[in-house]
Amino acid sequence: MDAHDALQHRENIIESCVIQARHLHTLRRVPIFMTALCRVRQGQKRLQWDEQEMLAGPQHLVLMPAGRELGVSNFPGAQGHYIADVVSFPVSVLRQFMARYGEQFARSAPGHVNTELCVRLDKQTRQAWDQLLVALNSGAPAALCTHYGEAVLLCLCLSGQAGPLLMGRNDPLSERVQRLMMSNLSKDWTIAAAAHQLNVGESTLRRQLANEDASFRSILENVRLAAALQRLQTSSDPIGEIASACGYASPSRFAVRFKTHYGLSPRALRAAI
């Protein structure tokens, strides 16, 4: 399997990770590049979006649609830790689900589409979520994990709560650029190189990104910082190594950019974890 095939394969599978922390920490402007669902096992998560705010615990499922930028605070629970499972859903899985159940989604809540990003788990959704995590954590085949992932989406759909995840999925060019950059974070990306791999002209790429209120430079910065955030939260790799892997030649510059964006330095985040 060559690099391109490996990337395509990775983009077509549901994946999960566990976020843990020992101390309260707050992150502002967290960009969501791949649609995901999050459930807190221990502690609570405060979510801020569109001038709204909500506190989520184990009884909730947090919806994290691609393209959003969220404010997040993670609070350790009585046991002394914050622990949450996060499951990401690639665009291909969402498209496949909509092709199969789109009509059901349209009928589930006529005249009303939920816009909340924090929804209370019902019995069916909780059971489907637990089955999905078991499949992912046991290394089940990708097709089986997709089946359980679609079961979670269907439960949300039938209860009228899937709106933020499934509305407006038109695969904008900015998301294609994001996925391209995520395939090789350490690459010295230029707009010319990205345009070549996306089979569009450089001027066309600039113009279409501007039409989406985006820019190549801002996308590259956000992708690198988001990848660094995930690695800081889910691995014990040294901060300097993470900075290099995410395309930063200078660990000090990376630390400045990270703190400016998230309001918390990489070292302070690691201390909280």
Side-chain angles (χ1 to χ4, degrees), residues 1 12 27 59 69-70 73 86 107 116 134 138 147 150 200 207 228 256 260:
M1 180 182 292
N12 289 323
L27 297 163
Q59 71 274 29
E69 194 169 76
L70 308 174
S73 296
V86 180
R107 294 196 304 266
E116 295 291 327
V134 168
S138 64
H147 171 77
E150 288 192 346
V200 298
R207 183 174 63 255
V256 169
T260 299

Side-chain angles (χ1 to χ4, degrees), residues 186-222:
S186 61
K187 179 181 175 69
D188 184 18
W189 284 104
T190 64
I191 193 165
H196 175 73
Q197 293 209 30
L198 292 170
N199 295 314
V200 298
E202 186 175 336
S203 60
T204 299
L205 178 57
R206 289 184 189 275
R207 183 174 63 255
Q208 292 190 18
L209 288 178
N211 290 339
E212 297 176 14
D213 294 322
S215 73
F216 181 82
R217 185 178 297 276
S218 65
I219 292 173
L220 180 57
E221 177 86 336
N222 287 338

